[in-house]
């Protein structure tokens, strides 16, 4: 019982209120136990409060036995490219067309290169994946048939197929987001778990809760505080 609980949180997309509510629900569940929070990327765009979401994540766990691990998503990648001084018009418009305008509005600027230097530096520093003994946490997924150590950054950030339909044993449980589930519930498969439940499209923000003792999630928590068992 002294080992930290692990909370993996899906795509936030600027939904600050849902993030704050979910963190509070997770804190209630963990009680006095320490916790590791793994955020699977796509913190920004589409929703109204991207700046505030990044402010919260950059501050970290707040010294309450909470460790924050933040991974890069494809939306962070698009913003990084759009904010570069040597960007192409395509880089800028690709990000803009995928919800970037909402991020600019949250900062009150007209150009992504005008975002705070410390925010852009933090985004550029984000890793693409993290792992423990049982699970690999990543934004989009992995390419089946390729060793975990040889996965490309492009796939880790962007892949959907053939990953989503693959029944291959990857040698580790892959915990990911990126593809909103149609029923707004986590998608639990023998080889992967998708916890992007469409927070920015009216769905909940969801966390999968793990322990060191078993590979699969103990349960899921929604930002409303509702708890789902893996069979639901």
């Amino acid at each position: 019982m002294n080992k930290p609980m692990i909370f993996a949180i899906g795509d936030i997309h600027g939904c600050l209120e849902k993030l704050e509510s979910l963190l509070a629900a997770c804190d209630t569940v963990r009680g006095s136990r320490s916790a590791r929070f793994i955020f699977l990327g796509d913190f920004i765009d589409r929703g109204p409060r991207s700046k505030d979401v990044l402010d919260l994540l950059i501050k970290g766990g707040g010294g309450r036995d909470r460790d924050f691990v933040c991974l890069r998503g494809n939306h962070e990648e698009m913003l990084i490219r759009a904010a570069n001084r040597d960007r192409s018009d395509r880089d800028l418009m690709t990000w803009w067309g995928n919800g970037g305008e909402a991020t600019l509005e949250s900062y009150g600027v007209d150009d992504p290169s005008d975002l705070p230097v410390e925010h852009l530096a933090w985004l550029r520093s984000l890793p693409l994946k993290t792992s423990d003994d049982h699970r690999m946490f990543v934004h989009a997924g992995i390419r089946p048939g390729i060793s975990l150590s040889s996965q490309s950054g492009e796939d880790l950030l962007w892949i959907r197929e053939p990953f989503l339909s693959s029944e291959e044993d990857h040698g580790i449980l892959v915990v990911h987001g990126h593809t909103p589930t149609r029923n707004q519930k986590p998608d639990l498969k023998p080889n992967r778990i998708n916890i992007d439940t469409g927070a920015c499209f009216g769905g909940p923000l969801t966390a999968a809760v793990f322990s060191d003792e078993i590979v699969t999630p103990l349960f899921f928590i929604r930002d409303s505080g509702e708890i789902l068992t893996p069979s639901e």
Side-chain angles (χ1 to χ4, degrees), residues 12-16 19-20 39 41-45 48-60 68 70-73 75-76 79-80 95 103 106-107 115-124 126:
I12 301 165
H13 280 302
C15 296
L16 177 69
L19 174 59
E20 291 177 330
F39 300 90
D42 280 9
F43 315 128
I44 59 169
D45 301 344
R49 300 187 66 181
S50 292
K51 176 184 180 299
D52 296 326
V53 167
L54 291 192
D55 280 337
L56 188 157
L57 295 177
I58 289 171
K59 288 178 182 176
F68 280 14
C70 300
L71 304 181
R72 186 186 305 188
H75 280 259
E76 286 76 44
L79 171 54
I80 290 167
W95 175 66
T103 297
S106 76
Y107 281 92
L115 267 61
V117 172
E118 60 271 20
H119 279 204
L120 291 174
W122 183 81
L123 291 170
R124 293 185 180 108
L126 295 175

Side-chain angles (χ1 to χ4, degrees), residues 176-187:
H176 68 98
H178 182 55
T179 302
T181 59
R182 293 182 179 180
N183 62 1
Q184 300 182 344
K185 293 182 178 181
D187 182 22

Side-chain angles (χ1 to χ4, degrees), residues 144-157:
I146 304 295
S147 68
L148 297 179
S149 62
S150 299
Q151 295 289 325
S152 72
E154 188 78 8
D155 283 335
L156 297 176
L157 291 169

